[in-house]
Amino acid sequence: MGATGAVGSTYNYLGKKTNQMLEAFERKDFSSALNCQFCIQRFINFVIKLGFGVSQTKAIMTLVSGIPMGPPRLPLQKASREFTDNVKAKLKSLDFLSCTD
């Protein structure tokens, strides 16, 4: 479509996979780029179904980066243990946590 950049909150924790997608596209390896895009979309669709907001984003960033992001500002509550456990399992199944844990 001619875009040369984008802004997205999911890049905070899906940046590595997004970069892989863009690099594959630049190499004209459209099959790999499409696989990366589908993997990213599967994860985003998954977390949206669980509930997605600031608390959940901070939990995901902590899981992916290994850096504790701390609690969200009040009056928000931190993401539930159930959310975090479900997301961690999904991240592992999609190989997003291969370098962390």
Side-chain angles (χ1 to χ4, degrees), residues 13-27:
Y13 47 84
L14 299 179
K16 183 176 180 179
K17 187 63 78 175
T18 301
N19 283 338
Q20 290 171 350
M21 176 185 67
L22 294 172
E23 290 166 1
F25 185 83
E26 287 175 5
R27 291 190 313 270

Side-chain angles (χ1 to χ4, degrees), residues 39-89:
C39 187
I40 291 165
Q41 196 59 51
R42 278 193 302 273
F43 181 72
I44 292 170
N45 289 341
F46 177 77
V47 294
I48 286 172
K49 288 178 187 173
L50 293 178
F52 191 62
V54 172
S55 303
Q56 293 79 13
T57 297
K58 288 177 78 81
I60 296 166
M61 288 191 301
T62 295
L63 288 170
V64 173
S65 70
I67 300 168
M69 296 293 150
R73 60 169 167 63
L74 293 173
L76 301 175
Q77 300 295 310
K78 72 180 204 173
S80 70
R81 172 58 102 188
E82 179 183 13
F83 175 88
T84 304
D85 291 345
N86 285 334
V87 166
K88 187 174 185 177

Side-chain angles (χ1 to χ4, degrees), residues 87-101:
V87 166
K88 187 174 185 177
K90 186 66 166 182
L91 287 167
K92 283 183 177 181
S93 77
L94 295 172
D95 201 28
F96 281 106
L97 293 181
S98 60
C99 297
T100 62
D101 205 7

